[in-house]
Amino acid sequence: MPQPDDKTSTGDLPAPLLALAERFGVVPDFWGFGGEKKTVSQETLVAVLAALGVDASTPERAALALEHAEDEEWRRTLPPVVVLREGTTRRVPVHVADGDAVEVWLELDPEAGGGRRDVEQVDHYVPPRTVDGRAVGRATVEVPDGVPLGWHTLVASSGGTTARATVVVTPARLELPHGIGDRRGWGFMAQLYSVRSERSWGVGDLADLREIAWMSARRAGADFLLINPLHAAEPLPPLSPSPYLPTSRRFVNPLYLRVEDIPETAYLPVAERSLIEWQAEVARPLSADPGPIDRDTVWEAKRVALDVVFAAPRSRARELAFETFRREQGKGLEDFALWCAMHEHFAGRAWPDGADDRGSDVVRRLRADLADRITFYCWLQWVADEQLAAAQRAAVEGGMRLGIMHDLAVGVHPEGADAWSMRDVLAQGVSVGAPPDMYNQQGQDWSQPPWRPDALARAAYAPYRDMLRTVLRHAGAIRIDHVIGLFRLWWIPQGHGAQDGAYVRYDHEALIGILALEAHRAGAVVIGEDLGVFEPWVRDYLTERGVLGTSVLWFEREDDAPMPPERYRRLALATVTTHDLPPTAGYLALEHVDLRDRLGLLSESVEQVRDAARSERDQMLGVLAQRGLVGAEASERQVVEALHRLVMASPAVLVGVSLADAVGERRAQNQPGTDQEYPNWRVPLADSAQRLVTVDELFDNPRLRSLVAALRG
């Protein structure tokens, strides 16, 4: 089949529109899931370009916009950002008044040793250009090789003016740390909120995370613990249950805090301590409730308790630590906390005019009026950061080579904190989704605003960098959901169906390079979730940069049969299942077919779908039998263990084991294509008999111990 980069006819689209689309990375055609080439409509191209700040509504305006775009780089002395790999050089244009001399040098990142390095001009003549009525000349300088990894500043001085640009030197390849490349690592995969203890308040929390991580290392020999995204949710109920639709990807959901582990809690007077106990009495019993997880009740109780602890005095050392954290996290934290405080302040009421603009007089007044609540929401992030640090420390001290593996969602809620505070780098009037495929023939609209690639570059990728740094602060690894989104995303204009979108390309060299740089500095492994539709060269590129891929047993097929695990990629996280599939016990019993039938999600007859699922299962059971991994009368437990042993036969450097598989859970955490029809992301961890499994008894669970023995054997 031809690949998306192949040049084919784009019908009757006007030439200026096509030229604009190419300049801004908007792809005017794509391959449908049936193998046919499809052309994006003119209406969609115009709408997507409008979301990029480009008026292409008529051929004349498109031609004018193209001319303006060509002049734009000449208006800047330096480009806003230059991203290059270590050990390479990069030529950079410098624009000054025609005939003027220019001096250029590099100021090195203090974290890379600091200092200054001269930058030489190269002999590369480019004719001057008349822009806005003045003659502009172009000099060309070369950033030399040997510049260390880091965030540097290129400075150009000419005619009494000085311009600056960010220069990011990224690793050529992100190497595997902690000896993982020499000896495979394995670990558990958990939906943290679902794994509760007798002490947690109805939701698995960061103290539970600490205990699971330490016990996984000590009792099971695990090297990592992959958890769902811990991104921030709404500050007031109702809370979105999906960890993949957060209000902010940079900051943490305080729902996961263990109130009693905040040091000031221990020193509260009796009356205040009683207030906390009263709230705990409301929430703790929910940990024994087998029904859907009730985040709203839990957060109502925790929020009251956290307000009490926040009001307690802190020691001078603790106060200094809080102030230091707040200063280090900077404006991003302050804006996030302000949004939370505003959300609380207006609670259910319409926001006043101007409140959506961070620079408005209304917001400036609110920043002053809500100062105490802003401090409260900053404090929540500080204590969450402390508890995350404790969890990672326990994981490593327990013996894990990686520790906690965090998960980065693909986007954010369109009305959340990031959408409010990052309006200058998030596209307006469009959302992210996916074109039609064989599973969803209308396409998918995820309702999330995408990064604007041009605006992100103008911001020198600082919002992206800051998000990565915060998530990586206490991580041994990070999983990037839908990593293809760092290469291209399907943009859907508002008012259009998901099928009426277009792909917008991103500077993947910059985005992957910066990801590698920040992971290198954090000493973390990066895993890209590269499932689904993607361009074939993407996997090769990720491997070249040292980013691990994802191999799921049920999806690895060739010649209409299961692929032998020996043929899996080495640089990958290999698993039997994923959070978008039912646990393996349920999958083997074809319960996912029955569920989709009950929910009305099948586009074919239930008999056809069940026959296809049964055939897939029987093929896999045949592979297990051929390899001598199961006998003729194998039990469900034995089959699940055999499937994991099959994955262990792969060369993958990391292998993940779902906690749901380890205890025999059958219910799916998420049923794609549903909202309220199924309790997505609200299913507490239970065994095959639907008895709750708590943190306290997890590592004495017979099925878990048997599976671990099979893996280690």
Side-chain angles (χ1 to χ4, degrees):
M1 181 187 296
Q3 300 307 320
D5 284 335
D6 291 355
K7 301 298 183 184
T8 60
S9 171
T10 49
D12 298 323
L13 294 174
L17 183 61
L18 287 172
L20 264 183
E22 181 178 1
R23 186 172 190 90
F24 285 91
V26 184
V27 185
D29 46 28
F30 65 98
W31 289 101
F33 68 92
E36 70 282 12
K37 190 79 168 194
K38 292 181 175 293
T39 300
V40 175
S41 72
Q42 181 170 338
E43 181 184 5
T44 293
L45 281 183
V46 169
V48 169
L49 284 166
L52 288 162
V54 179
D55 184 356
S57 55
T58 66
E60 295 76 19
R61 291 184 177 182
L64 184 63
L66 184 61
E67 182 181 348
H68 177 79
E70 291 170 348
D71 283 344
E72 186 59 30
E73 64 175 307
W74 288 78
R75 293 189 176 99
R76 294 189 299 256
T77 302
L78 292 170
V81 65
V82 177
V83 182
L84 68 157
R85 302 189 198 188
E86 62 179 332
T88 65
T89 63
R90 176 64 60 84
R91 290 188 172 186
V92 181
V94 185
H95 298 110
V96 296
D98 188 33
D100 282 4
V102 62
E103 180 186 8
V104 185
W105 66 92
L106 198 61
E107 295 176 351
L108 299 182
D109 185 342
E111 291 190 35
R116 168 175 164 152
R117 185 170 299 185
D118 291 335
V119 176
E120 299 296 329
Q121 187 168 335
V122 298
D123 185 13
H124 179 68
Y125 176 74
V126 177
R129 183 184 182 96
T130 301
V131 180
D132 302 330
R134 68 186 186 101
V136 179
R138 172 181 286 181
T140 302
V141 301
E142 186 172 82
V143 177
D145 61 7
V147 177
L149 299 176
W151 295 78
H152 314 290
T153 303
L154 188 67
V155 185
S157 178
S158 176
T161 62
T162 300
R164 296 174 179 271
T166 299
V167 174
V168 192
V169 180
T170 70
R173 178 182 177 83
L174 184 63
E175 299 298 337
L176 292 170
H178 310 294
I180 291 292
D182 303 322
R183 178 168 59 88
R184 167 190 283 141
W186 78 273
F188 287 116
M189 306 183 297
Q191 298 293 311
L192 178 60
Y193 54 84
S194 73
V195 193
R196 305 170 301 184
S197 67
E198 293 179 358
R199 294 162 299 284
S200 51
W201 294 24
V203 170
D205 59 31
L206 296 177
D208 294 323
L209 174 63
R210 184 181 70 236
E211 186 157 341
I212 297 168
W214 194 87
M215 294 289 281
S216 295
R218 285 300 177 95
R219 296 283 301 275
D223 289 302
F224 64 86
L225 175 60
L226 168 59
I227 56 174
N228 57 279
L230 301 184
H231 305 325
E234 298 83 353
L236 295 176
L239 305 187
S240 298
S242 173
Y244 293 93
L245 189 62
T247 66
S248 172
R249 290 192 292 172
R250 177 176 175 184
F251 297 105
V252 179
N253 189 347
L255 176 75
Y256 291 108
L257 283 169
R258 175 68 65 85
V259 178
E260 296 89 340
D261 280 9
I262 302 171
E264 285 72 30
T265 305
Y267 302 100
L268 289 172
V270 173
E272 283 79 359
R273 182 75 190 190
S274 296
L275 288 173
I276 290 177
E277 286 301 322
W278 292 341
Q279 299 305 316
E281 288 173 5
V282 172
R284 265 200 208 109
L286 296 175
S287 291
D289 186 343
I293 292 170
D294 186 354
R295 286 173 172 81
D296 291 348
T297 298
V298 172
W299 180 233
E300 288 279 21
K302 277 195 180 180
R303 188 164 157 270
V304 172
L306 289 165
D307 263 319
V308 172
V309 180
F310 169 68
R314 292 177 284 275
S315 70
R316 293 189 66 181
R318 293 271 298 161
E319 186 63 31
L320 178 60
F322 174 38
E323 291 171 359
T324 301
F325 172 83
R326 194 170 178 178
R327 183 170 59 254
E328 288 174 347
Q329 295 300 305
K331 193 172 188 304
L333 174 61
E334 299 298 326
D335 284 346
F336 169 74
L338 171 59
W339 180 86
C340 291
M342 290 168 61
H343 195 282
E344 177 186 78
H345 178 69
F346 293 114
R349 294 178 290 147
W351 286 24
D353 292 342
D356 60 346
D357 179 1
R358 285 178 302 155
S360 70
D361 291 338
V362 170
V363 172
R364 277 193 290 271
R365 286 196 300 272
L366 287 166
R367 200 181 289 272
D369 294 344
L370 302 176
D372 186 61
R373 298 310 290 168
I374 292 171
T375 300
F376 170 68
Y377 284 107
C378 288
W379 173 82
L380 289 178
Q381 292 303 308
W382 174 57
V383 291
D385 184 78
E386 289 189 319
Q387 294 189 8
L388 280 169
Q392 174 65 0
R393 189 164 54 248
V396 174
E397 290 174 355
M400 285 188 172
R401 286 184 286 162
L402 292 178
I404 309 300
M405 183 185 293
H406 286 272
D407 198 351
L408 183 69
V410 69
V412 295
H413 196 289
E415 297 177 359
D418 282 1
W420 176 80
S421 64
M422 297 185 184
R423 289 178 66 86
D424 49 343
V425 293
L426 293 175
Q428 308 300 309
V430 290
S431 59
V432 171
D437 59 30
M438 65 182 66
Y439 300 107
N440 200 320
Q441 297 183 12
Q442 299 303 312
Q444 300 174 58
D445 187 337
W446 303 334
S447 78
Q448 301 165 339
W451 294 116
R452 267 186 63 167
D454 58 332
L456 204 53
R458 283 196 296 273
Y461 297 101
Y464 175 67
R465 175 202 63 194
D466 293 344
M467 176 189 69
L468 292 173
R469 283 185 177 176
T470 302
V471 176
L472 286 164
R473 274 173 68 86
H474 308 299
I478 184 173
R479 173 190 177 274
I480 310 296
D481 191 45
H482 193 64
V483 73
I484 191 67
L486 301 182
F487 295 78
R488 68 177 189 182
L489 282 172
W490 183 255
W491 286 26
I492 305 164
Q494 284 182 358
H496 290 63
Q499 70 275 15
D500 296 324
Y503 280 115
V504 175
R505 295 197 179 277
Y506 290 79
D507 186 345
H508 61 271
E509 180 73 13
L511 294 175
I512 297 293
I514 291 168
L515 172 61
L517 173 60
E518 295 306 318
H520 168 80
R521 288 185 157 185
V525 171
V526 177
I527 297 94
E529 190 256 327
D530 55 355
L531 305 174
V533 178
F534 57 88
E535 295 161 294
W537 62 269
V538 167
R539 281 186 166 178
D540 294 335
Y541 178 86
L542 291 171
T543 298
E544 175 192 342
R545 300 306 300 269
V547 175
L548 276 62
T550 302
S551 294
V552 178
L553 179 71
W554 298 105
F555 299 160
E556 294 289 342
R557 297 179 65 82
E558 62 180 13
D559 300 327
D560 200 30
M563 178 188 293
E566 292 81 4
R567 291 176 51 79
Y568 288 12
R569 294 168 290 169
R570 176 177 174 271
L571 284 185
L573 167 65
T575 67
V576 173
T577 189
T578 175
H579 60 251
D580 284 329
L581 291 176
T584 302
Y587 202 77
L588 291 168
L590 310 186
E591 291 183 1
H592 57 299
V593 177
D594 295 333
L595 175 62
R596 291 166 63 200
D597 181 39
R598 288 198 305 272
L599 297 175
L601 299 177
L602 299 181
S603 56
E604 300 173 306
S605 73
V606 66
E607 291 78 13
Q608 287 178 293
V609 175
R610 185 175 289 112
D611 286 346
R614 185 181 294 113
S615 175
E616 179 187 46
R617 180 196 61 188
D618 292 347
Q619 274 190 324
M620 193 65 74
L621 291 175
V623 171
L624 298 181
Q626 290 168 9
R627 290 175 174 250
L629 294 174
V630 294
E633 301 297 328
S635 67
E636 175 194 279
R637 175 185 62 78
Q638 290 170 327
V639 173
V640 170
E641 291 176 5
L643 290 170
H644 284 85
R645 289 202 302 273
L646 185 63
V647 169
M648 291 293 278
S650 77
V653 296
L654 295 178
V655 170
V657 178
S658 166
L659 268 187
D661 280 358
V663 300
E665 171 69 87
R666 303 170 77 94
R667 298 168 300 171
Q669 275 294 334
N670 177 46
Q671 176 55 59
T674 64
D675 182 20
Q676 300 301 316
E677 303 92 333
Y678 183 79
N680 292 322
W681 316 112
R682 291 178 287 159
V683 178
L685 185 68
D687 63 17
S688 57
Q690 297 304 288
R691 290 186 298 262
L692 294 180
V693 179
T694 66
V695 174
D696 314 87
E697 59 194 12
L698 185 60
F699 292 92
D700 292 317
N701 181 277
R703 282 191 64 149
L704 183 145
R705 291 170 66 86
S706 180
L707 178 56
V708 168
L711 290 171
R712 300 182 75 175

